[in-house]
Amino acid sequence: MADLTTQEAAVLEQISRNPFAGQQEIADALGIARSTVAAHIVQLIKQGHILGRGYVLPEPGHIVCIGGAVFDRKHRLQSPLAMETSNPVDSVHSFGGVARNVAESLALLGERPLFISAVGDDQTGQHLLNHLRGRGVDLSGVIMVPGQITAEYSAVLSPDGQLVFGMDNMRLFDLLTPAALARIWSHLAAASWVFAETNLPAETLEALIRRQGGGRYKLAIDAVSIGKVRKLPNDLTGIDLLFLNADEAAILLSGARATTLDEAMDAAQALQGKGAGMVQLSLGSKGVVIAGEGTQTTLPSIPATVIDLTGAGDAMVAGTLHSLLSGKDLAAAAALGNLMSALTIETTGTVRADLSLATLESHARMRMPAPSAGQPA
């Protein structure tokens, strides 16, 4: 930008990388005085490069999504996996990450989520942010980390779309510490819902659960995987809605994996006994159970032609949260999430490209079964 001095450009670059950096932090990074940074910020505001530091009232129904922003590489085997040799595959590259997928889906459904994550200062990170920006996601909570690559996930899928194994490099999210969130806690405190997932450090999840910076938000957490669910505390009090599958529930309960819907409901109630307010537990093709808000409900799976299962759980989370933000009860919200999950596995994208309220409503009329009758909890 030709109208900026060298120092002004450097200050603006620091703010672009971390919009929540304090003046002293910027000064330390650039080796200049804090007062000099303050003077440059005044000029940047006057020139329109920064919008200022005024008070902003939260929007009704505001939601914050915290967690992974990832570049996904999916390789679908053309025939069953043969070990210790080359396997022909069909490959698809896309943007992923649980919280990123949920944020994008919410934006496509008309919400404006605030996304909090960390990306590298590489080309992949730039493309990922540009894509989300185009979807209408608020990226003011994303930290761009100099000298780091954006997180990656590689999945090998069977010919019928089932996950054979996955590999991830998620160390970048270790930077999303409680101290990092403290700078933007006012955004969390003002939210109606905060969605977090277990790619975050355990101490950050604990801070959100215990609301260590204050706030009356409702907290939804996705367990993500059997390895990462172990980050959750034994006492689940403070989690208003827990999304997980039977394998993850078995880890939290130190018990056997549920194989029937009745067993899954027992597991969901046991998780409530550990403090979770509401539980949405998926049993894959057998359906979903919901425990909370005074009812126990079972949703059958919606028949779908499986193309790729990646992103199905994230779609269910997004559909459920969108409906809750719209004032629906948990059973109705979970039913919409169930439909979004089915729609997602019928495409190769981690987020269905044509997702919109109109698309969702059209498919709901044709394909969404009614939930079973709720029973008193």
Side-chain angles (χ1 to χ4, degrees):
M1 301 180 183
D3 57 332
L4 298 182
T5 67
T6 301
Q7 281 194 354
E8 286 173 347
V11 170
L12 183 58
E13 174 65 13
Q14 291 293 318
I15 294 172
S16 299
R17 290 178 184 276
N18 180 6
F20 307 107
Q23 291 182 3
Q24 189 59 59
E25 184 177 347
I26 295 172
D28 292 342
L30 298 179
I32 58 179
R34 181 183 181 279
S35 59
T36 303
V37 171
H40 289 322
I41 288 175
V42 170
Q43 290 302 313
L44 290 169
I45 292 172
K46 288 181 178 179
Q47 296 175 46
H49 296 294
I50 300 175
L51 296 181
R53 295 176 175 266
Y55 292 103
V56 179
L57 295 176
E59 298 177 5
H62 180 54
I63 184 167
V64 177
C65 298
I66 313 174
V70 181
F71 185 65
D72 283 345
R73 306 175 190 271
K74 292 181 283 187
H75 308 286
R76 186 165 179 159
L77 293 161
Q78 296 178 5
S79 57
L81 178 67
M83 299 300 292
E84 299 181 1
T85 187
S86 178
N87 290 263
V89 298
D90 297 311
S91 299
V92 176
H93 298 165
S94 63
F95 298 123
V98 175
R100 194 218 70 86
N101 293 344
V102 171
E104 180 177 354
S105 294
L106 286 170
L108 290 172
L109 294 177
E111 310 291 348
R112 182 163 170 76
L114 170 64
F115 182 44
I116 298 174
S117 189
V119 300
D121 62 350
D122 54 357
Q123 191 174 56
T124 298
Q126 293 284 359
H127 288 332
L128 187 154
L129 295 182
N130 287 338
H131 177 80
L132 284 179
R133 190 175 291 110
R135 296 298 204 193
V137 176
D138 182 350
L139 301 178
S140 59
V142 177
I143 301 170
M144 182 170 283
V145 186
Q148 296 293 322
I149 65 169
T150 298
E152 294 189 0
Y153 171 74
S154 295
V156 175
L157 309 176
S158 64
D160 64 353
Q162 302 287 333
L163 179 66
V164 176
F165 64 87
M167 300 173 289
D168 67 64
N169 178 0
M170 307 288 183
R171 288 188 298 271
L172 194 62
F173 306 134
D174 291 343
L175 298 175
L176 298 174
T177 62
L181 293 189
R183 299 175 186 165
I184 53 172
W185 197 272
S186 61
H187 293 270
L188 305 180
S192 298
W193 277 91
V194 171
F195 169 71
E197 38 105 337
T198 56
N199 279 307
L200 295 171
E203 59 270 24
T204 302
L205 292 167
E206 179 78 17
L208 291 168
I209 292 169
R210 308 300 171 221
R211 291 157 177 79
Q212 291 178 5
R216 293 172 293 175
Y217 57 80
K218 291 184 177 180
L219 177 64
I221 289 184
D222 191 302
V224 178
S225 71
I226 58 175
K228 294 174 182 176
V229 70
R230 301 174 194 274
K231 296 179 182 180
L232 294 178
N234 183 61
D235 181 1
L236 302 177
T237 303
I239 300 177
D240 296 284
L241 175 55
L242 179 61
F243 296 94
L244 76 175
N245 62 28
D247 293 312
E248 295 151 2
I251 297 294
L252 285 180
L253 295 171
S254 301
R257 180 188 186 278
T259 58
T260 68
L261 290 173
D262 285 342
E263 291 175 350
M265 183 61 76
D266 289 341
Q269 290 181 280
L271 290 165
Q272 285 186 292
K274 288 171 67 67
M278 299 178 286
V279 178
Q280 189 164 319
L281 196 160
S282 173
L283 208 59
S285 61
K286 295 181 180 179
V288 180
V289 299
I290 299 103
E293 294 187 334
T295 63
Q296 302 160 12
T297 306
T298 299
L299 297 173
S301 62
I302 296 176
T305 301
V306 177
I307 301 299
D308 185 349
L309 291 171
T310 309
D314 307 341
M316 180 173 288
V317 170
T320 302
L321 291 175
H322 166 72
S323 290
L324 290 173
L325 287 165
S326 302
K328 302 290 179 61
D329 63 31
L330 180 61
L336 191 72
N338 198 26
L339 173 63
M340 275 186 57
S341 179
L343 294 177
T344 299
I345 66 176
E346 293 182 334
T347 68
T348 57
T350 306
V351 173
R352 186 174 173 119
D354 66 347
L355 180 63
S356 67
L357 281 176
T359 300
L360 201 56
E361 290 167 0
S362 174
H363 282 277
R365 288 192 295 269
M366 297 184 293
R367 302 173 60 178
M368 197 161 74
S372 65
Q375 304 172 357

